[in-house]
Amino acid sequence: MLVTSRAEVIATRRVGAFRHLTLVAPAIADLAKAGQFVSAAVGGPTSALVGRRTVPIAQASPSGTYGGTVEIIVDTDGDAGVRWLAERRAHDEVDLIGPIGRPFPLPAGPVDAVVVGMGASAAALGWLSSQLRDRGCRIDLVLGGVDDRHLVGVVEARRVVGNVSVVLPGDEEDLPDRLAAAVRQLLRTGDASVVYAAGRARDLAAVAQVAAPFGVVVQCCIDEEMPCGTGLCGSCEVPVQTKSGERHTIRCCTEGAVLRADRVRWPLYLQDLQ
């Protein structure tokens, strides 16, 4: 169920190249789960920016001093809409819709898991890792970014997971291959049965490719542009394939953004994104 909220910003802080915002949105916080998104109206009432920006929910707290809150992490070097969001300060208000999409499915019992995320797309992985840990799962966490300013939650993750690897290629073009190599090494030496991944499509495609020979399930959270966040505009379609081989498209915002990697037709999807 989607709900709307006129959310007040109650705290902001810089996290490397990103800005972390905490907003009061009780109705969304009550429903939100790791892997879901919120869609924010950006630009203010006098702006020419008409599109929305859809970003992962980093954490949701249904109760607290200020009532239910949601936390997001946005790139201060993003486009004009994302920068507007990053520039909000305490007591500013933002129109939100959420929680959007499917959350990460959690295992019924303890399993070994590899969790991998890139840049701000990894915002929810600390939340996810805490939930996996509470279920007795063993976790290897890989966080990547073009440089150390573009990493999210390394210190916090080491408190929760312990085994955290960092991938810093220095060149954005090398990030998919470096992440894939880190995941391959963990799958070779460990006993993981599931990979949870969050990032841009090209990074997720590389992770899915190296994981396929190991026969593990890859649950990927696709962090691509979702201009409306409601499924109405149809601009975030992802080509997928069912178990029976039927091919069709789904809307990433409402029918994703968490999808099984083996259902996504990655070459066609990457071609469509170009």
Side-chain angles (χ1 to χ4, degrees), residues 222-274:
I222 301 173
D223 188 11
E224 291 289 347
E225 291 185 8
M226 295 177 246
C228 76
T230 63
L232 294 176
C233 74
S235 299
C236 61
E237 290 186 337
V238 180
V240 297
Q241 184 166 305
T242 66
K243 286 183 178 178
S244 62
E246 179 185 357
R247 297 180 177 183
H248 61 106
T249 60
I250 65 169
R251 294 161 298 179
C252 188
C253 61
T254 55
E255 299 169 274
V258 176
L259 297 168
R260 277 186 54 148
D262 58 339
R263 306 282 168 80
V264 179
R265 300 169 64 195
W266 292 107
L268 180 57
Y269 185 35
L270 295 177
Q271 179 181 318
D272 290 345
L273 289 173
Q274 291 179 353

Coordinates of all heavy atoms in Angstrom, one line a residue, residues 222-274:
I222 N 17.4 -3.0 -7.9 CA 17.8 -2.1 -9.0 C 17.6 -0.7 -8.7 O 16.4 -0.2 -8.5 CB 17.1 -2.5 -10.3 CG1 17.3 -4.0 -10.6 CG2 17.5 -1.6 -11.4 CD1 16.5 -4.5 -11.8
D223 N 18.6 0.1 -8.7 CA 18.5 1.5 -8.3 C 18.8 2.4 -9.6 O 19.8 3.0 -9.8 CB 19.5 1.9 -7.2 CG 19.4 3.3 -6.7 OD1 18.3 3.9 -7.0 OD2 20.3 3.8 -6.0
E224 N 17.8 2.3 -10.5 CA 17.8 3.2 -11.7 C 16.7 4.2 -11.6 O 15.9 4.2 -10.6 CB 17.6 2.3 -12.9 CG 18.8 1.4 -13.2 CD 20.0 2.2 -13.7 OE1 19.9 3.3 -14.1 OE2 21.1 1.5 -13.8
E225 N 16.7 5.2 -12.5 CA 15.7 6.2 -12.4 C 14.3 5.7 -12.5 O 13.9 4.9 -13.4 CB 16.0 7.2 -13.6 CG 17.2 8.0 -13.5 CD 17.4 9.1 -14.5 OE1 16.4 9.3 -15.3 OE2 18.5 9.7 -14.6
M226 N 13.5 6.2 -11.6 CA 12.0 5.9 -11.5 C 11.3 7.2 -11.4 O 11.0 7.7 -10.3 CB 11.8 4.9 -10.4 CG 12.4 3.6 -10.5 SD 12.2 2.5 -9.1 CE 13.8 2.4 -8.4
P227 N 11.0 7.8 -12.5 CA 10.6 9.2 -12.5 C 9.3 9.5 -11.7 O 9.1 10.7 -11.2 CB 10.4 9.6 -14.0 CG 11.2 8.6 -14.7 CD 11.2 7.3 -13.9
C228 N 8.3 8.6 -11.6 CA 7.1 8.9 -10.9 C 7.0 8.1 -9.6 O 6.4 8.6 -8.6 CB 5.9 8.8 -11.7 SG 5.4 7.0 -12.0
G229 N 7.5 6.9 -9.6 CA 7.5 6.1 -8.4 C 6.1 5.5 -8.1 O 5.9 4.8 -7.1
T230 N 5.2 5.6 -9.0 CA 3.8 5.1 -8.8 C 3.5 4.0 -9.9 O 2.4 3.5 -9.8 CB 2.8 6.2 -8.9 OG1 2.8 6.8 -10.2 CG2 3.1 7.3 -7.8
G231 N 4.3 3.8 -10.9 CA 4.0 2.9 -12.0 C 3.2 3.5 -13.1 O 2.9 2.9 -14.1
L232 N 2.8 4.8 -13.0 CA 2.0 5.4 -14.0 C 2.7 5.8 -15.3 O 2.2 5.7 -16.4 CB 1.3 6.7 -13.4 CG 0.3 6.4 -12.3 CD1 -0.3 7.7 -11.7 CD2 -0.9 5.5 -12.8
C233 N 4.0 6.3 -15.1 CA 4.7 6.8 -16.3 C 5.3 5.7 -17.2 O 5.5 5.9 -18.4 CB 5.8 7.8 -15.9 SG 7.2 7.1 -15.1
G234 N 5.5 4.6 -16.6 CA 6.1 3.5 -17.4 C 7.5 3.7 -17.9 O 7.9 3.0 -18.8
S235 N 8.2 4.6 -17.3 CA 9.6 4.9 -17.7 C 10.6 4.0 -17.1 O 11.8 4.2 -17.4 CB 9.9 6.4 -17.4 OG 9.0 7.2 -18.1
C236 N 10.3 3.1 -16.2 CA 11.3 2.3 -15.5 C 11.1 0.8 -15.8 O 11.3 0.0 -14.9 CB 11.2 2.6 -14.0 SG 9.6 2.2 -13.2
E237 N 10.6 0.5 -17.0 CA 10.4 -0.9 -17.4 C 11.6 -1.7 -17.4 O 12.7 -1.3 -17.9 CB 9.6 -1.0 -18.7 CG 8.2 -0.4 -18.6 CD 7.5 -0.7 -19.9 OE1 8.1 -0.8 -21.0 OE2 6.2 -0.7 -19.9
V238 N 11.5 -3.0 -16.9 CA 12.6 -3.9 -16.9 C 12.2 -5.2 -17.6 O 11.1 -5.8 -17.3 CB 13.0 -4.3 -15.4 CG1 14.1 -5.3 -15.4 CG2 13.4 -3.1 -14.6
P239 N 12.9 -5.6 -18.7 CA 12.6 -6.9 -19.3 C 12.9 -8.1 -18.5 O 14.0 -8.2 -18.0 CB 13.4 -6.8 -20.6 CG 14.6 -6.0 -20.3 CD 14.1 -5.0 -19.2
V240 N 11.9 -9.0 -18.3 CA 12.2 -10.1 -17.5 C 11.7 -11.4 -18.2 O 11.0 -11.3 -19.2 CB 11.4 -10.0 -16.1 CG1 12.0 -8.8 -15.3 CG2 9.9 -9.9 -16.3
Q241 N 12.0 -12.5 -17.6 CA 11.6 -13.8 -18.2 C 11.1 -14.7 -17.0 O 11.7 -14.8 -16.0 CB 12.8 -14.5 -18.9 CG 12.5 -15.8 -19.6 CD 13.6 -16.1 -20.5 OE1 14.0 -15.4 -21.4 NE2 14.1 -17.3 -20.3
T242 N 9.9 -15.3 -17.2 CA 9.3 -16.2 -16.2 C 10.0 -17.5 -16.2 O 10.8 -17.9 -17.1 CB 7.8 -16.3 -16.4 OG1 7.6 -17.1 -17.6 CG2 7.1 -15.0 -16.5
K243 N 9.7 -18.4 -15.2 CA 10.2 -19.7 -15.2 C 9.9 -20.5 -16.4 O 10.7 -21.3 -16.9 CB 9.7 -20.4 -13.9 CG 10.3 -20.0 -12.6 CD 9.8 -20.8 -11.5 CE 10.4 -20.5 -10.2 NZ 9.8 -21.2 -9.0
S244 N 8.7 -20.3 -17.0 CA 8.3 -21.0 -18.1 C 8.8 -20.4 -19.4 O 8.6 -21.0 -20.5 CB 6.7 -21.0 -18.2 OG 6.3 -19.6 -18.4
G245 N 9.6 -19.4 -19.4 CA 10.3 -18.8 -20.5 C 9.5 -17.6 -21.1 O 9.9 -17.0 -22.1
E246 N 8.3 -17.3 -20.6 CA 7.6 -16.2 -21.1 C 8.3 -14.9 -20.8 O 8.8 -14.6 -19.7 CB 6.2 -16.1 -20.4 CG 5.3 -15.0 -20.9 CD 4.0 -14.9 -20.1 OE1 3.8 -15.8 -19.3 OE2 3.3 -14.0 -20.4
R247 N 8.4 -14.0 -21.9 CA 9.1 -12.8 -21.7 C 8.1 -11.6 -21.7 O 7.2 -11.6 -22.5 CB 10.1 -12.6 -22.9 CG 11.2 -13.7 -22.9 CD 12.1 -13.5 -24.1 NE 13.2 -14.5 -24.0 CZ 14.2 -14.5 -24.9 NH1 14.3 -13.6 -25.8 NH2 15.1 -15.5 -24.8
H248 N 8.4 -10.7 -20.8 CA 7.5 -9.5 -20.8 C 8.3 -8.4 -20.0 O 9.5 -8.6 -19.7 CB 6.2 -9.8 -20.1 CG 6.3 -10.3 -18.6 ND1 6.0 -9.5 -17.6 CD2 6.8 -11.4 -18.1 CE1 6.3 -10.2 -16.5 NE2 6.7 -11.4 -16.8
T249 N 7.7 -7.3 -19.8 CA 8.3 -6.2 -19.0 C 7.5 -5.9 -17.7 O 6.3 -6.1 -17.7 CB 8.4 -4.9 -19.8 OG1 7.1 -4.5 -20.2 CG2 9.3 -5.1 -21.0
I250 N 8.2 -5.5 -16.7 CA 7.6 -5.0 -15.5 C 8.0 -3.6 -15.1 O 9.1 -3.2 -15.6 CB 7.9 -6.0 -14.3 CG1 9.4 -5.9 -14.0 CG2 7.4 -7.4 -14.6 CD1 9.7 -6.6 -12.7
R251 N 7.3 -3.0 -14.3 CA 7.7 -1.6 -13.9 C 8.5 -1.8 -12.6 O 8.1 -2.4 -11.6 CB 6.4 -0.8 -13.6 CG 5.6 -0.5 -14.8 CD 4.2 -0.1 -14.4 NE 3.5 -1.2 -13.7 CZ 2.3 -1.1 -13.3 NH1 1.6 0.0 -13.4 NH2 1.7 -2.2 -12.7
C252 N 9.7 -1.2 -12.7 CA 10.7 -1.4 -11.6 C 10.2 -0.8 -10.3 O 10.4 -1.4 -9.2 CB 12.0 -0.8 -12.0 SG 13.4 -1.1 -10.9
C253 N 9.5 0.3 -10.4 CA 9.1 1.0 -9.1 C 8.1 0.2 -8.3 O 8.2 0.0 -7.1 CB 8.6 2.4 -9.4 SG 7.1 2.5 -10.4
T254 N 7.1 -0.4 -9.0 CA 6.0 -1.0 -8.3 C 6.1 -2.5 -8.3 O 5.6 -3.2 -7.4 CB 4.6 -0.6 -8.9 OG1 4.6 -0.9 -10.3 CG2 4.3 0.8 -8.7
E255 N 6.8 -3.1 -9.3 CA 6.9 -4.6 -9.4 C 8.3 -5.0 -9.0 O 8.5 -6.2 -8.9 CB 6.5 -5.1 -10.7 CG 5.0 -4.7 -11.1 CD 4.7 -5.0 -12.5 OE1 4.9 -4.0 -13.3 OE2 4.2 -6.0 -12.8
G256 N 9.2 -4.1 -8.9 CA 10.6 -4.3 -8.4 C 10.6 -3.7 -7.0 O 9.6 -3.7 -6.4
A257 N 11.6 -3.0 -6.7 CA 12.9 -2.9 -7.4 C 13.7 -4.1 -7.1 O 14.7 -4.4 -7.7 CB 13.6 -1.6 -7.1
V258 N 13.3 -4.9 -6.1 CA 14.0 -6.2 -5.8 C 13.5 -7.3 -6.7 O 12.3 -7.6 -6.7 CB 13.9 -6.6 -4.3 CG1 14.5 -7.9 -4.0 CG2 14.4 -5.5 -3.4
L259 N 14.4 -7.8 -7.5 CA 14.0 -8.9 -8.4 C 15.1 -10.0 -8.3 O 16.2 -9.8 -8.0 CB 14.0 -8.4 -9.8 CG 13.0 -7.3 -10.1 CD1 13.3 -6.7 -11.5 CD2 11.6 -7.9 -10.1
R260 N 14.7 -11.2 -8.6 CA 15.6 -12.3 -8.8 C 16.5 -12.1 -10.0 O 15.9 -11.9 -11.1 CB 14.9 -13.7 -8.9 CG 14.6 -14.2 -7.5 CD 14.0 -15.6 -7.6 NE 14.9 -16.5 -8.4 CZ 15.0 -17.8 -8.1 NH1 14.2 -18.4 -7.2 NH2 15.7 -18.6 -8.9
A261 N 17.8 -12.1 -9.9 CA 18.6 -11.8 -11.0 C 18.5 -12.7 -12.2 O 18.6 -12.2 -13.4 CB 20.1 -11.8 -10.6
D262 N 18.1 -13.9 -12.0 CA 18.0 -14.9 -13.1 C 16.7 -14.6 -13.9 O 16.5 -15.2 -14.9 CB 18.0 -16.3 -12.6 CG 16.9 -16.6 -11.6 OD1 16.4 -15.7 -11.0 OD2 16.6 -17.8 -11.4
R263 N 15.8 -13.7 -13.4 CA 14.6 -13.4 -14.2 C 14.8 -12.2 -15.1 O 14.0 -11.9 -16.0 CB 13.5 -13.2 -13.2 CG 13.2 -14.3 -12.2 CD 12.5 -15.4 -12.9 NE 12.5 -16.6 -12.1 CZ 11.7 -16.8 -11.0 NH1 10.8 -15.9 -10.7 NH2 11.7 -17.9 -10.3
V264 N 15.9 -11.4 -14.8 CA 16.1 -10.2 -15.6 C 16.9 -10.5 -16.9 O 17.9 -11.2 -16.8 CB 16.9 -9.2 -14.8 CG1 17.1 -7.9 -15.6 CG2 16.1 -8.8 -13.5
R265 N 16.4 -10.0 -18.0 CA 17.2 -10.1 -19.2 C 18.2 -9.0 -19.3 O 17.9 -7.9 -19.9 CB 16.2 -10.1 -20.4 CG 15.1 -11.2 -20.3 CD 14.0 -11.0 -21.3 NE 14.5 -11.1 -22.7 CZ 13.8 -10.7 -23.7 NH1 12.6 -10.2 -23.5 NH2 14.3 -10.8 -24.9
W266 N 19.3 -9.2 -18.7 CA 20.3 -8.1 -18.5 C 20.8 -7.5 -19.8 O 20.9 -6.3 -19.8 CB 21.5 -8.7 -17.6 CG 21.1 -9.0 -16.2 CD1 20.9 -10.2 -15.7 CD2 20.7 -8.0 -15.2 NE1 20.5 -10.1 -14.4 CE2 20.4 -8.8 -14.0 CE3 20.7 -6.6 -15.1 CZ2 20.0 -8.2 -12.8 CZ3 20.3 -6.0 -13.9 CH2 20.0 -6.8 -12.8
P267 N 21.2 -8.3 -20.8 CA 21.7 -7.6 -22.0 C 20.7 -6.6 -22.6 O 21.1 -5.5 -23.0 CB 22.1 -8.7 -22.9 CG 22.3 -9.9 -22.0 CD 21.4 -9.7 -20.9
L268 N 19.5 -7.0 -22.7 CA 18.4 -6.2 -23.3 C 18.2 -5.0 -22.4 O 18.0 -3.8 -22.9 CB 17.1 -7.0 -23.5 CG 16.0 -6.2 -24.1 CD1 16.3 -5.6 -25.4 CD2 14.7 -7.1 -24.2
Y269 N 18.2 -5.2 -21.1 CA 17.9 -4.1 -20.1 C 19.0 -3.1 -20.2 O 18.8 -1.9 -20.3 CB 17.8 -4.7 -18.7 CG 17.5 -3.7 -17.7 CD1 16.6 -2.6 -17.9 CD2 18.0 -3.8 -16.4 CE1 16.3 -1.7 -16.9 CE2 17.7 -2.9 -15.4 CZ 16.8 -1.8 -15.7 OH 16.5 -0.9 -14.7
L270 N 20.3 -3.5 -20.2 CA 21.4 -2.6 -20.3 C 21.4 -1.8 -21.6 O 21.7 -0.6 -21.7 CB 22.7 -3.3 -20.2 CG 23.0 -4.0 -18.8 CD1 24.3 -4.8 -18.8 CD2 23.0 -2.9 -17.7
Q271 N 21.0 -2.5 -22.7 CA 20.8 -1.8 -24.0 C 19.8 -0.8 -23.9 O 19.9 0.3 -24.5 CB 20.5 -2.9 -25.1 CG 20.3 -2.3 -26.5 CD 20.0 -3.4 -27.5 OE1 20.5 -4.5 -27.4 NE2 19.0 -3.1 -28.3
D272 N 18.6 -1.1 -23.3 CA 17.5 -0.1 -23.2 C 17.9 1.1 -22.4 O 17.4 2.2 -22.6 CB 16.3 -0.7 -22.5 CG 15.7 -1.8 -23.4 OD1 16.0 -1.8 -24.6 OD2 14.9 -2.6 -22.9
L273 N 18.8 1.0 -21.4 CA 19.2 2.1 -20.5 C 20.2 3.0 -21.2 O 20.4 4.2 -20.8 CB 19.9 1.5 -19.3 CG 18.9 0.9 -18.3 CD1 19.7 0.2 -17.1 CD2 17.9 1.8 -17.7
Q274 N 20.8 2.6 -22.3 CA 21.8 3.4 -23.0 C 21.2 4.6 -23.7 O 20.1 4.5 -24.2 CB 22.6 2.6 -24.0 CG 23.6 1.6 -23.3 CD 24.3 0.8 -24.2 OE1 24.1 0.8 -25.5 NE2 25.3 0.0 -23.7

